[in-house]
């Protein structure tokens, strides 16, 4: 309604001047078409300042005109003019000025638009005059827009911008007649925070262009980011008119910083300057997060641009296909508008030829007249990305629809009639109470494909203000097929233009780590067998006899299996190796620990047995030892059997842990079973450690209990350190760590329990006598009877 009212008010302007005439000389519009109703346009034709570093020694290069917004506006007006449905019988015209991206020029141009070309106003002295235009479409960037909207705000001529997105322009008090078809950065800044948060980037750098667009957008971003727990390492700004020193300083900050993600709330012009500097200094490998101004900019999306900005992600204005626009744009020819500087300049730039001779100089490379826009491919004719043009199109239609509505509703005082009129209208654009449209964005990502650099549309975002507070929702409602998602086993290559097979990782026999572990496990097994051979050869010597040799041989056998079971962890996981891995490990280790437990109990019992009147040995004789070892092991066998029956481990592909490789591993099947197996080993070893600790001071044969205590200490230490290492080491190293723990604890047991005895057997045969053993026991103060008990104990070992 406000919009409607403003349009009405726009017909009448109160001038504050008492003498009504232009102070300056009004300029002629760049494009002009008369009609019953004239719509003004204000665009920056010379938007791109790239490559123009004036040396002041020769004529500056002509500025590049590549913008097609004015043409889009002319097209739209012509379309509406042709249409019989909107504003039938009324001819529309336009006046379009070039305002550059410059504040004073914008103000001058907009005043020329409303005042018209006549130097003198009405002959009466009331100074009341119709605005020469009904409404103004423009300006392109936020800062000139603010200047312009402030100037003509009191005149109540509605201004509809297609690109000025600064949230500051939503202030209804300051800019009562400002509307726009581009969403306010209020939404974009917040959407960017959500984006950064989505990727869990918590440490980011911030760069902005030093104007209203960048400053306002970035301040909202920073404010919201801090609330969301995102830290900003630095926040730098520069403007394209700054001396080079300033830009180099920003580059230096980027180089010195540790943030790998940079949020750039920048206008295209500034971004182009920054990109050139980044390229010169080889600053690559950063993740850029961009604002809508540059994220889809054609002049940045070049091969060089991809080197520094490749993979950039950001929000873009939603694009649309406007039928007939391309044909309209291709019609443009200098011969149609011989006096139009813009068309001439445009032609010369596009074809690199000259249309007119400079006075006194030879005409260089004259245009042949055969040039045709249909035969070349340049950003002007490429209408596939009509993001901003679409906003111009919508702005013109908004004016036309509102006007149509105004003229159709005869009974303007009847509220029901007015409401009916509004409902009739299929407004493509609707403005909220701040003059803003619903925020719709496309999330785009810079990628390469076969045809070169493209901006893939990754998702669509719709932002809504939920209430007057800053509640904000974004809705992702679709994914585009611009970019293909690589199949599960594939990931994109460095250039991101192909899917390549992921590396497959597992611990193999071929690699150094695998070979080392295999070597150690074979050495361990060989040493165990050698010890068994030594013990067997010396089976009649007191030291072997005194150390319950049956348990010793069983222990050596189980240790050999422990060493060998580590081999099942290496190689491509198969059904069998997965099932074997943890069960073989669980059973051999329980066998091993229960042998040691048996030995410890023997030491304890043997001591008790030496006490007068005690007959304990009867209760833990050889038979009982065998039975207990069997029972302990059987429990583990049962657990493992249940595990294999109910939920057996199986080979699996882990694609979650790393995006660039697939880890082949064994899925445990049942975690509970795995931890029960481990827990049971833990329980037995804890028991063993406790008993051997109690028995460590008891006099026995060759301080067996002391060595067992020590070996259990090593065993427990290895497995306790194994747990955090197991959890934190990624991929194949998890398996390597497990093998390492198996080998280390097996070696610990082997060395602590058997090395001292082997040493005596092989190198100190003089200590390997009954007499010596008796003496050492005697010196320990034990009852000599013990030996008898031990001897009896050993009787079954022979
Ligand atoms: C609009 O249509 C009228 C005739 O109906 C024509 O004279 C005028 O040039 C047209 N204006 C534009 C902008 O096409
Ligand atoms: C408007 O109508 C004229 C004449 O029928 C046609 O040449 C022109 O292409 C139309 N313009 C648009 C934008 O549809
Ligand atoms: C940038 O990298 C290219 C090739 O990698 C190298 O030739 C050039 O010297 C580098 N420039 C700078 C400024 O380091
Ligand atoms: C322009 O095109 C015509 C016809 O194709 C050709 O005869 C003529 O030589 C061309 N002129 C130039 C300067 O290339
Ligand atoms: C978005 O559209 C694509 C095809 O255009 C479709 O495959 C996909 O399921 C849609 N996604 C959602 C979230 O609607």
């Amino acid at each position: 309604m406000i919009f409607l009212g403003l349009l009405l008010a726009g017909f009448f302007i109160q001038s504050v001047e008492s003498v009504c005439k232009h102070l300056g000389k009004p300029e002629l519009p760049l494009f002009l078409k008369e009609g019953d109703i004239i719509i003004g346009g204000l665009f920056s034709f010379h938007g791109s300042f790239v490559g123009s570093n004036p040396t002041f020694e020769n004529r500056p290069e002509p500025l590049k005109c590549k913008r097609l917004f004015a043409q889009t506006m002319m097209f739209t007006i012509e379309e509406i003019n042709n249409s019989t449905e909107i504003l039938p019988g009324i001819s529309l015209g336009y006046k379009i000025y070039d305002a550059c991206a410059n504040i004073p020029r914008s103000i001058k141009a907009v005043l020329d638009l409303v005042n018209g070309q006549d130097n003198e106003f009405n002959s009466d002295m009331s100074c009341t005059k119709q605005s020469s235009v009904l409404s103004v479409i423009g300006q392109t960037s936020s800062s000139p827009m603010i200047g312009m909207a402030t100037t003509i705000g009191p005149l109540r001529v509605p201004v509809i911008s297609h690109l000025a997105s600064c949230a500051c322009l939503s202030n209804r008090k300051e800019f009562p007649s400002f509307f726009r078809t581009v969403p306010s950065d209020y939404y974009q800044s917040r959407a960017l925070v959500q984006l950064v948060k989505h990727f869990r980037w918590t440490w980011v750098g911030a760069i902005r262009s030093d104007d209203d667009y960048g400053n306002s957008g970035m301040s909202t971003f920073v404010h919201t980011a801090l609330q969301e727990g995102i830290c900003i390492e630095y926040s730098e700004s520069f403007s394209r008119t700054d001396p080079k020193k300033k830009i180099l300083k920003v580059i230096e900050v980027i180089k010195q910083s540790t943030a790998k993600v940079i949020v750039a709330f920048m206008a295209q012009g500034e971004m182009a300057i920054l990109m050139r500097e980044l390229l010169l200094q080889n600053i690559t490998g950063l993740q850029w997060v961009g604002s809508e101004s540059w994220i889809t900019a054609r002049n940045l999306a070049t091969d060089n641009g991809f080197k520094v900005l490749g993979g950039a992600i950001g929000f873009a204005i939603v694009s649309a296909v406007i039928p007939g626009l391309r044909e309209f744009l291709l019609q443009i020819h200098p011969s149609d508008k011989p006096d139009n500087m813009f068309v001439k300049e445009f032609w010369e730039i596009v074809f690199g030829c000259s249309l007119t001779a400079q006075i006194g100089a030879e005409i260089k490379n004259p245009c042949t007249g055969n040039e045709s826009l249909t035969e070349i491919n340049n950003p002007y004719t490429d209408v596939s990305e009509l993001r901003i043009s679409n906003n111009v199109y919508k702005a013109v239609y908004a004016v036309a629809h509102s006007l149509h509505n105004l003229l159709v509703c005869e009974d303007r005082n009847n509220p029901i009639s007015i409401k009916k009129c509004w409902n009739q209208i299929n407004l493509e654009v609707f403005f909220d109470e701040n003059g803003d449209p619903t925020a719709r964005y496309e999330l785009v990502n810079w990628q390469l494909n076969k045809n070169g650099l493209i901006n893939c549309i990754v998702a669509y975002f719709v932002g809504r203000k939920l209430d007057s507070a800053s509640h904000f929702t974004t809705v992702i409602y679709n994914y585009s097929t611009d970019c293909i998602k690589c199949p599960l086993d594939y990931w994109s290559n460095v250039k991101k233009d192909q899917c390549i097979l992921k590396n497959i990782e597992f611990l193999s026999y071929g690699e150094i780590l695998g070979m080392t572990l295999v070597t150690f496990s074979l050495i361990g097994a060989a040493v165990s067998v050698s010890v068994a051979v030594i013990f067997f050869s010396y089976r009649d010597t007191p030291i072997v006899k005194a150390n319950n040799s049956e348990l010793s041989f069983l222990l050596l056998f189980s240790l050999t299996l422990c060493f060998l079971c580590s081999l099942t962890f290496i190689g491509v996981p198969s059904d069998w190796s997965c099932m074997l891995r943890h069960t073989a490990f669980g059973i051999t280790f329980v066998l091993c620990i229960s042998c040691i437990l048996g030995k410890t109990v023997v030491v304890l019992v043997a001591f008790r047995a030496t006490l007068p009147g005690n007959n304990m040995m009867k209760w833990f004789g050889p038979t009982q030892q065998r039975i207990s070892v069997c029972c302990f092991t059987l429990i583990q066998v049962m657990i493992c059997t249940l595990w294999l029956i109910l939920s057996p481990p199986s080979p699996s592909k882990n694609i979650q842990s790393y995006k660039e490789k697939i880890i082949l591993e064994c899925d445990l099947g049942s975690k509970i079973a795995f931890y029960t197996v481990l827990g049971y080993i833990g329980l037995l070893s804890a028991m063993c450690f406790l008993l051997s600790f109690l028995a460590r001071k008891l006099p026995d044969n060759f301080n067996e209990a002391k060595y067992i205590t020590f070996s259990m200490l090593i065993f427990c230490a290895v497995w306790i350190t194994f747990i955090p290492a197991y959890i934190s080491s990624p991929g194949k190293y998890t398996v390597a760590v497990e093998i390492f723990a198996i080998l280390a604890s097996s070696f610990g047991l082997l060395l602590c329990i058997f090395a001292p005895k082997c040493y005596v057997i092989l190198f100190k045969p003089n200590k390997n006598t009954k007499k010596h053993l008796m003496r050492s026991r005697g010196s320990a103060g034990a009852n000599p009877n013990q030996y008898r008990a031990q001897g009896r104990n050993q009787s079954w070992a022979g």
Side-chain angles (χ1 to χ4, degrees):
M1 283 317 289
I2 302 175
F3 186 71
L4 237 162
L6 280 172
L7 277 171
L8 255 187
F11 282 109
F12 306 100
I13 291 174
Q14 295 282 338
S15 172
V16 283
E17 292 268 339
S18 54
V19 180
C20 304
K21 61 175 190 187
H22 274 298
L23 285 177
K25 191 173 171 288
E27 265 180 55
L28 282 175
L30 202 54
F31 294 98
L32 171 70
K33 184 113 188 186
E34 292 297 344
D36 299 337
I37 289 168
I38 309 278
I39 298 176
L42 215 68
F43 300 98
S44 302
F45 289 84
H46 303 113
S48 172
F49 280 79
V50 185
S52 58
N53 271 346
T55 55
F56 304 108
E57 284 165 6
N58 40 29
R59 264 183 72 139
E61 295 268 304
L63 295 168
K64 294 190 170 109
C65 317
K66 288 192 203 163
R67 305 279 179 109
L68 42 78
F69 314 140
Q71 265 68 28
T72 308
M73 177 173 164
M74 293 189 256
F75 167 82
T76 318
I77 288 180
E78 212 177 295
E79 189 179 274
I80 296 167
N81 195 32
N82 280 359
S83 152
T84 49
E85 271 154 36
I86 308 169
L87 297 173
I90 295 174
S91 68
L92 286 180
Y94 49 77
K95 275 186 189 173
I96 296 172
Y97 279 87
D98 175 13
C100 299
N102 176 297
I103 302 173
R105 267 201 68 96
S106 302
I107 295 173
K108 168 94 170 69
V110 79
L111 286 175
D112 283 347
L113 269 178
V114 294
N115 287 333
Q117 254 54 54
D118 315 323
N119 212 4
E120 298 228 341
F121 286 6
N122 289 354
S123 46
D124 65 19
M125 292 302 285
S126 72
C127 280
T128 307
K129 179 185 177 289
Q130 270 194 352
S131 165
S132 92
V133 293
L134 175 77
S135 169
V136 177
I137 313 287
Q139 228 303 5
T140 310
S141 42
S142 292
S143 290
M145 188 63 237
I146 291 168
M148 195 174 122
T150 319
T151 312
I152 67 160
L155 308 179
R156 292 287 193 270
V157 175
V159 178
I160 308 173
S161 174
H162 54 292
L163 208 51
S165 57
C166 179
C168 52
L169 283 161
S170 293
N171 184 340
R172 238 21 201 156
K173 281 204 191 91
E174 244 180 288
F175 310 107
S177 56
F178 173 77
F179 302 87
R180 56 181 153 195
T181 49
V182 63
S184 160
D185 289 340
Y186 173 92
Y187 298 101
Q188 194 185 177
S189 298
R190 282 169 172 78
L192 283 173
V193 172
Q194 300 207 347
L195 183 67
V196 170
K197 198 179 154 201
H198 172 84
F199 289 109
R200 304 208 190 98
W201 292 328
T202 49
W203 183 240
V204 301
I207 304 178
R208 61 185 194 275
S209 42
D210 193 6
D211 56 14
D212 291 293
Y213 171 73
N215 291 337
S216 162
M218 187 51 88
S219 88
T220 313
F221 175 83
V222 170
H223 181 78
T224 319
L226 291 178
Q227 284 173 352
E228 294 286 352
I230 295 160
C231 300
I232 313 287
E233 185 181 7
Y234 56 85
S235 182
E236 293 292 324
S237 70
F238 73 91
S239 147
R240 65 182 156 223
T241 48
D242 280 339
K244 186 152 185 187
K245 221 171 54 198
K246 182 92 187 279
I247 293 145
L248 291 179
K249 197 195 129 226
V250 174
I251 296 283
E252 200 50 38
V253 170
I254 296 176
K255 272 162 67 179
Q256 301 296 329
S257 65
T258 55
K260 288 277 168 260
V261 177
I262 300 182
V263 178
F265 216 107
M266 298 225 262
Q268 222 184 94
E270 274 81 6
M271 197 62 204
I273 293 170
L274 186 72
M275 188 188 94
R276 200 172 48 191
E277 244 6 275
L278 290 170
L279 202 60
L280 279 177
Q281 306 211 20
N282 275 0
I283 304 175
T284 56
L286 295 170
Q287 172 65 51
W288 291 86
V289 178
S291 57
E292 102 292 339
S293 174
W294 68 265
I295 199 77
T296 54
R298 288 264 154 168
N299 62 330
L300 301 179
T302 57
D303 286 347
N304 275 339
F306 193 79
K307 276 185 202 140
V308 286
L309 302 176
I313 191 163
F315 291 101
I317 295 162
V318 176
S319 77
V321 174
I322 303 174
L325 178 60
R326 185 180 154 84
E327 291 67 35
F328 183 87
L329 294 177
L330 293 182
Q331 278 172 15
I332 191 171
H333 199 277
S335 59
D336 295 343
K337 295 182 164 70
D339 319 322
N340 194 301
M341 283 309 291
F342 165 74
V343 176
K344 188 170 149 277
E345 205 177 85
F346 169 76
W347 204 258
E348 289 178 340
I349 288 169
V350 169
F351 294 103
C353 62
S354 169
L355 282 171
T356 46
Q358 284 161 25
I359 302 147
E362 272 279 294
I363 186 162
K364 271 194 223 157
N365 186 19
C367 297
T368 62
N370 278 0
E371 292 88 3
S372 167
L373 278 174
T374 44
E375 277 154 31
I376 59 147
N377 212 344
N378 83 354
Y380 175 83
T381 56
D382 181 7
V383 291
S384 57
E385 288 240 30
L386 288 171
R387 296 175 189 282
I388 303 167
S389 299
N390 186 34
N391 280 350
V392 175
Y393 187 77
K394 287 194 287 189
V396 177
Y397 262 97
V399 175
H401 276 300
S402 308
L403 191 64
H404 178 85
N405 168 61
L406 197 70
L407 300 178
V408 165
C409 271
E410 283 128 322
D411 190 4
R412 262 189 256 119
N413 297 325
N414 182 348
I416 295 167
S417 167
I418 289 179
K419 203 158 174 231
K420 207 168 128 222
C421 285
W422 270 115
N423 289 341
Q424 282 166 2
I425 294 166
N426 180 20
L427 260 187
E428 277 179 87
V429 185
F430 66 93
F431 303 111
D432 68 8
E433 76 277 8
N434 293 326
D436 293 328
T438 308
R440 289 176 204 276
Y441 294 103
E442 289 171 355
L443 185 62
V444 300
N445 182 219
W446 286 32
Q447 300 292 356
L448 282 181
N449 73 357
K450 286 187 285 301
N451 307 324
L453 182 65
I454 56 159
N455 289 318
C456 306
I457 299 160
V458 188
Y460 294 93
F461 268 68
V462 179
R464 280 191 198 92
K465 225 181 203 171
L466 289 183
D467 48 45
S468 54
S470 60
H471 285 155
F472 176 70
T473 53
T474 52
V475 188
I476 303 179
Y477 66 90
N478 214 323
Y479 291 96
S480 159
T481 47
D482 275 10
C483 286
I484 51 161
K485 204 173 173 194
C486 289
L488 221 53
D489 290 1
Y490 292 77
W491 74 303
S492 56
N493 63 356
V494 179
K495 283 170 80 185
K496 307 244 187 268
D497 60 353
Q498 257 183 349
C499 290
I500 50 173
L501 199 60
K502 286 185 183 176
N503 279 333
I504 288 181
E505 192 184 81
F506 62 91
L507 188 61
S508 75
Y509 289 104
E511 63 190 295
I512 292 176
L513 184 61
M515 280 197 270
T516 315
L517 291 172
V518 168
T519 312
F520 275 103
S521 95
L522 291 181
I523 289 175
V527 171
S528 310
V529 172
S530 318
V531 172
V533 169
I534 292 170
F535 266 49
F536 189 72
S537 324
Y538 290 85
R539 64 190 176 280
D540 292 328
T541 58
I543 204 160
V544 177
K545 278 179 146 180
N547 278 295
N548 7 24
S549 49
E550 193 181 72
L551 280 183
S552 295
F553 283 117
L554 199 55
L555 179 57
L556 283 168
F557 172 69
S558 64
L559 276 175
T560 312
L561 290 184
C562 285
F563 281 117
L564 292 180
C565 87
S566 63
L567 296 182
T568 62
F569 286 81
I570 305 174
V572 185
S574 66
D575 280 334
W576 279 105
S577 75
C578 279
M579 287 203 276
L580 206 60
R581 268 180 198 191
H582 294 109
T583 49
F585 154 75
I587 294 169
T588 52
F589 265 73
V590 163
L591 184 62
C592 190
I593 302 288
S594 40
C595 289
I596 298 172
L597 193 62
K599 274 173 165 287
T600 318
V601 174
V602 166
V603 172
L604 277 173
V605 170
F607 179 75
R608 295 268 162 218
T610 60
L611 301 178
N614 196 317
N615 206 6
M616 285 270 287
M617 222 42 222
K618 194 170 73 188
W619 300 106
F620 203 67
T623 320
Q624 285 89 343
Q625 290 173 22
R626 275 175 224 159
I627 291 173
S628 61
V629 168
C630 282
C631 283
F632 282 136
T633 314
L634 212 60
I635 293 174
Q636 185 77 316
V637 171
M638 269 155 55
I639 297 174
C640 290
T641 311
L642 277 180
W643 184 6
L644 291 185
I645 290 172
L646 295 180
S647 161
S650 55
S652 75
K653 287 178 176 179
N654 177 346
I655 51 170
Q656 275 95 43
S657 301
Y658 293 94
K659 63 173 190 290
E660 75 278 13
K661 58 188 176 194
I662 300 176
I663 298 164
L664 295 186
E665 58 184 20
C666 282
D667 181 49
L668 288 176
S670 158
K671 276 200 168 141
I672 299 177
F674 176 66
Y675 288 116
T676 312
V677 165
L678 283 190
Y680 185 59
I681 298 176
L683 182 77
L684 286 188
S685 43
M687 249 164 78
C688 195
F689 176 67
L690 203 73
L691 291 182
S692 63
F693 185 76
L694 292 176
R696 78 194 184 286
K697 290 253 171 76
L698 295 183
D700 68 47
N701 305 302
F702 212 75
N703 295 333
E704 179 111 82
K706 202 180 281 177
Y707 291 121
I708 291 176
T709 315
F710 195 55
S711 70
M712 289 323 292
L713 209 58
I714 292 178
F715 185 87
C716 294
V718 166
W719 285 97
I720 287 169
T721 44
F722 160 76
I723 293 165
Y726 185 83
I727 291 168
S728 65
S729 51
K732 64 179 178 188
Y733 297 105
T734 316
V735 176
V737 164
E738 194 167 354
I739 297 176
F740 181 79
I742 291 173
L743 293 182
S745 53
S746 306
F747 271 114
L749 296 182
L750 183 64
L751 294 181
C752 289
I753 296 176
F754 293 102
K757 284 168 205 150
C758 287
Y759 176 73
V760 172
I761 291 171
L762 293 178
F763 302 110
K764 301 272 184 211
N766 58 327
K767 288 193 179 167
N768 193 359
T769 58
K770 265 186 189 180
K771 224 162 116 194
H772 188 83
L773 282 177
M774 297 282 277
R775 191 155 5 97
S776 72
R777 203 175 307 119
S779 65
N783 190 323
N785 281 350
Q786 193 191 357
Y787 184 60
R788 186 181 46 78
Q790 288 293 319
R792 196 173 62 197
N793 175 29
Q794 296 305 311
S795 60
W796 50 273

